[in-house]
Amino acid sequence: MTAIALPLSVPSGRVRPVEESAWVRRSLIGLALAFLTLFLFVPLISVFYEALKKGWDVYIAAITEPDAVSAIQLTLTAAAIAVPLNLVFGVAAAWAVAKFEFRGKNLLVTLIDLPFSVSPVVSGLIYVLIFGLQGWLGPWLAEHDIKIIFAVPGIVLATIFVTVPFIARELIPLMQSQGAEEEEAAVVLGASGWQIFFRVTLPNIKWGLLYGVILCNARAMGEFGAVSVVSGHIRGSTNTLPLHVEILYNEYNFAAAFAVASLLALLALITLALKTIVESKTREKPETAGIQE
Amino acid sequence: MGTFRQHSVLPGFNLALGFTLLYLSLIVLIPISAAFVRTAELTLPEFWDVVTTPRVLASYRLTFGASFAAALLNAIFGLLVAWVLVRYHFPGKKLIDSLVDLPFALPTAVAGIALTALYAGNGWLGQYLEPLGLKVAFTPAGVFVALTFIGLPFVVRTVQPVLEDLEPELEEAAATLGATRLQTFLRVIFPAIFPALITGFALAFARAIGEYGSVIFIAGNMPMISEITPLLIITKLEQYDYAGATALAVVMLVISFVLLLIINLLQWWSRSRSSSSV
């Protein structure tokens, strides 16, 4: 960082050979900011503007009516199940991939990333093909009066699917770069497997873990396409927050739709703030340890 | 086969790998294979007919065309944003750097209704664009705008670290040898960041093809004109045309797999490029 900051403090006025002239610099910054303003900042601001356009009373009413509250509860429930499961998966996958050498490792890493490249609509559809009335398990489930599709379990499954890779893909490169020497030393000193994990590995990966959890949670609460396919849109029972936004919007209840949407936008902003804090924490660490490249 | 894994003193390999494979199989692999198995119920000519009707072909053209155009715009402006964030200092830079990831964090439905409100005839942007004859909301142009939004962070985030790691000595050497700043950029900097740029483009493109939430609000969803392929899957599903929906899903899955393979190769290329230059 300091190596980059130093040459910039050269007296201005003369153009240095490895720098652009001031007007090129200003127009590039201007153009980049214009693009970001048009495509990022204006849409973000408009969510809050539209939400509050009709005043606080309408806003508060929209986010406290029973359907909205049940949508908030379902969204929190789905995330509360999906995130811990994917956390356990992420740690297990990263432990296997990063600490051991085995055949087919690259294939495994590619498979973990698979849900990212599948369209959300397809992610929902595949569960309908298994658990839906016409699906593989459909007749058996109907016989035993178990509902998965158009019910809460389907929403949870679809949420888990789309968020499978988040924590694993944060932890794998992090644990690979840390190597296995510290854990091996712990083995030599007689530590058990769980002791090694909780006393040696976990302190080393805690920020990466938190980072993955934050991103996983944001996607779990915001997923729309996959959940939309399996939900059935039953108000007050299988409606998550993003689906509730859609219903309100399609009923031309724009103020309420944007009020609920602003909750999700707020969640996104909190996610970004936490992400930035965690990033600065992880960046500090290697510098104080003196092993920055 | 005896060398499935190298010896290690660390415990927990069987438990960790076993759980990983079980979880992946139950959540990801078996459900995805269901789509392929269900499609096998169709004969090949039947499958071909389903995935090549004029309405489906029109949806491919829109989905791929708009995704490509959006990824291209993001490649150009993503490179610019990454450059400005790495090389220049200006007020609010840190805040802007954090906000670049907004499309990753903002639920797609929220992005969809926000963009629609902006570009509708009475919206902040639409009221100026429509008198100029530029209708964005409820047209294919709206699809392009939505896909640009959701693909925005990819190029920035793939190019940014490569640009940060670029050694200043290379540019100094080029300048010493008499290259202008533009020549240095085109001949020295651009080749170094090109693999990352292409990777970012491919990631944005792959994401755009499957996108649903942000598009359906702004597209207008008219068959043959502004209907994307993922929406067509949902339409078929709502008409209980499971075979048709599944066949389209298989087409989308195969395209995703091919793109995933290409992206992996690009990332491998990108890494080997940057490690060989050090």
Side-chain angles (χ1 to χ4, degrees):
Chain A
M1 291 295 271
T2 47
I4 300 168
L6 268 177
L8 289 172
S9 58
V10 161
S12 55
R14 206 172 58 96
V15 177
R16 284 168 34 86
V18 289
E19 242 174 43
E20 296 76 33
S21 59
W23 74 266
V24 171
R25 218 157 49 212
R26 279 190 205 120
S27 33
L28 289 180
I29 292 174
L31 201 58
L33 290 183
F35 174 74
L36 291 178
T37 304
L38 189 63
F39 279 97
L40 274 190
F41 307 143
V42 173
L44 178 64
I45 293 163
S46 80
V47 173
F48 293 101
Y49 173 81
E50 298 280 343
L52 295 169
K53 203 159 70 172
K54 296 205 172 147
W56 275 103
D57 295 341
V58 176
Y59 183 84
I60 298 295
I63 59 174
T64 52
E65 54 113 7
D67 286 345
V69 172
S70 89
I72 293 172
Q73 282 167 346
L74 182 55
T75 295
L76 293 175
T77 308
I81 299 171
V83 175
L85 280 175
N86 284 331
L87 174 68
V88 174
F89 167 75
V91 170
W95 183 265
V97 168
K99 303 290 177 191
F100 299 91
E101 290 301 322
F102 57 93
R103 276 160 179 256
K105 197 154 112 172
N106 289 334
L107 180 66
L108 179 63
V109 174
T110 309
L111 288 179
I112 291 171
D113 265 349
L114 205 55
F116 274 163
S117 52
V118 174
S119 170
V121 170
V122 177
S123 312
L125 172 75
I126 55 180
Y127 286 105
V128 176
L129 294 179
I130 293 182
F131 299 111
L133 258 185
Q134 309 208 8
W136 283 345
L137 301 177
W140 186 86
L141 290 169
E143 230 170 74
H144 292 80
D145 210 20
I146 303 169
K147 265 186 91 76
I148 290 183
I149 298 305
F150 304 146
V152 175
I155 290 173
V156 173
L157 275 173
T159 306
I160 294 173
F161 179 94
V162 295
T163 52
V164 159
F166 278 96
I167 296 167
R169 68 158 18 195
E170 284 308 322
L171 290 184
I172 289 171
L174 178 67
M175 282 167 70
Q176 273 175 332
S177 72
Q178 287 170 348
E181 285 87 358
E182 289 185 34
E183 283 83 358
E184 281 162 5
V187 171
V188 174
L189 294 170
S192 75
W194 293 112
Q195 278 178 326
I196 297 172
F197 177 73
F198 283 108
R199 302 252 186 106
V200 179
T201 310
L202 195 59
N204 278 336
I205 62 169
K206 61 177 187 239
W207 291 117
L209 198 73
L210 187 60
Y211 192 84
V213 166
I214 291 166
L215 296 184
C216 184
N217 180 62
R219 179 72 192 268
M221 291 191 174
E223 176 54 27
F224 178 75
V227 170
S228 165
V229 174
V230 296
S231 131
H233 304 91
I234 306 160
R235 278 184 103 142
S237 113
T238 63
N239 233 1
T240 63
L241 273 181
L243 297 177
H244 194 54
V245 170
E246 185 196 21
I247 288 185
L248 293 170
Y249 190 85
N250 287 344
E251 288 171 347
Y252 301 102
N253 192 351
F254 295 136
F258 276 100
V260 176
S262 75
L263 291 180
L264 290 165
L266 212 57
L267 172 77
L269 290 177
I270 293 169
T271 301
L272 291 184
L274 289 174
K275 185 173 166 292
T276 309
I277 294 169
V278 172
E279 270 170 352
S280 68
K281 289 275 180 204
T282 47
R283 223 169 281 166
E284 271 165 25
K285 213 181 156 196
E287 268 175 1
T288 49
I291 48 168
Q292 182 93 340
E293 277 184 72
Chain B
M1 287 307 283
T3 58
F4 166 66
R5 80 171 170 110
Q6 287 176 14
H7 180 72
S8 164
V9 294
L10 291 182
F13 176 75
N14 290 332
L15 177 66
L17 187 68
F19 180 76
T20 303
L21 291 177
L22 178 72
Y23 190 88
L24 262 188
S25 303
L26 287 178
I27 300 288
V28 180
L29 301 179
I30 294 173
I32 286 181
S33 66
F36 287 91
V37 174
R38 287 298 289 262
T39 307
E41 289 168 11
L42 294 174
T43 66
L44 204 56
E46 278 172 349
F47 174 81
W48 189 251
D49 283 346
V50 171
V51 300
T52 57
T53 64
R55 187 172 167 187
V56 172
L57 288 177
S59 83
Y60 295 150
R61 273 194 293 275
L62 174 66
T63 307
F64 289 92
S67 299
F68 188 85
L72 200 65
L73 187 75
N74 275 323
I76 296 165
F77 281 94
L79 173 60
L80 176 68
V81 170
W83 178 267
V84 164
L85 287 176
V86 172
R87 294 292 171 110
Y88 304 147
H89 290 265
F90 53 92
K93 181 170 125 164
K94 271 207 156 155
L95 182 70
I96 288 168
D97 196 355
S98 310
L99 280 173
V100 164
D101 282 329
L102 182 72
F104 285 161
L106 192 72
T108 52
V110 178
I113 64 167
L115 292 171
T116 311
L118 282 178
Y119 288 94
N122 57 357
W124 286 354
L125 298 170
Q127 59 181 323
Y128 301 110
L129 292 173
E130 288 209 347
L132 303 173
L134 280 170
K135 268 183 81 77
V136 176
F138 317 123
T139 70
V143 179
F144 166 73
V145 168
L147 295 180
T148 304
F149 176 85
I150 57 122
L152 197 145
F154 288 100
V155 173
V156 182
R157 292 304 183 223
T158 47
V159 171
Q160 208 174 5
V162 180
L163 217 46
E164 271 165 4
D165 288 347
L166 216 59
E167 292 180 28
E169 288 87 349
L170 292 173
E171 290 166 52
E172 284 162 13
T176 314
L177 293 169
T180 65
R181 196 63 194 136
L182 187 64
Q183 280 175 325
T184 309
F185 178 79
L186 292 176
R187 302 258 186 100
V188 178
I189 301 172
F190 192 73
I193 58 176
F194 185 69
L197 186 66
I198 290 285
T199 307
F201 171 86
L203 286 168
F205 180 70
R207 169 72 206 268
I209 283 177
E211 177 57 17
Y212 172 73
S214 60
V215 174
I216 52 156
F217 294 98
I218 199 170
N221 307 325
M222 276 175 298
M224 303 298 293
I225 299 168
S226 58
E227 187 178 51
I228 54 166
T229 311
L231 176 68
L232 207 49
I233 294 177
I234 293 217
T235 309
K236 284 182 185 293
L237 205 56
E238 281 171 354
Q239 294 163 347
Y240 302 102
D241 178 6
Y242 284 78
T246 313
L248 276 185
V250 164
V251 171
M252 298 285 291
L253 277 171
V254 170
I255 293 166
S256 312
F257 294 160
V258 171
L259 282 170
L260 187 65
L261 186 73
I262 293 173
I263 289 166
N264 275 341
L265 288 172
L266 282 171
Q267 277 169 339
W268 173 78
W269 180 40
S270 184
R271 263 197 301 270
S272 67
R273 261 296 185 85
S274 55
S275 62
S276 66
S277 72
V278 172

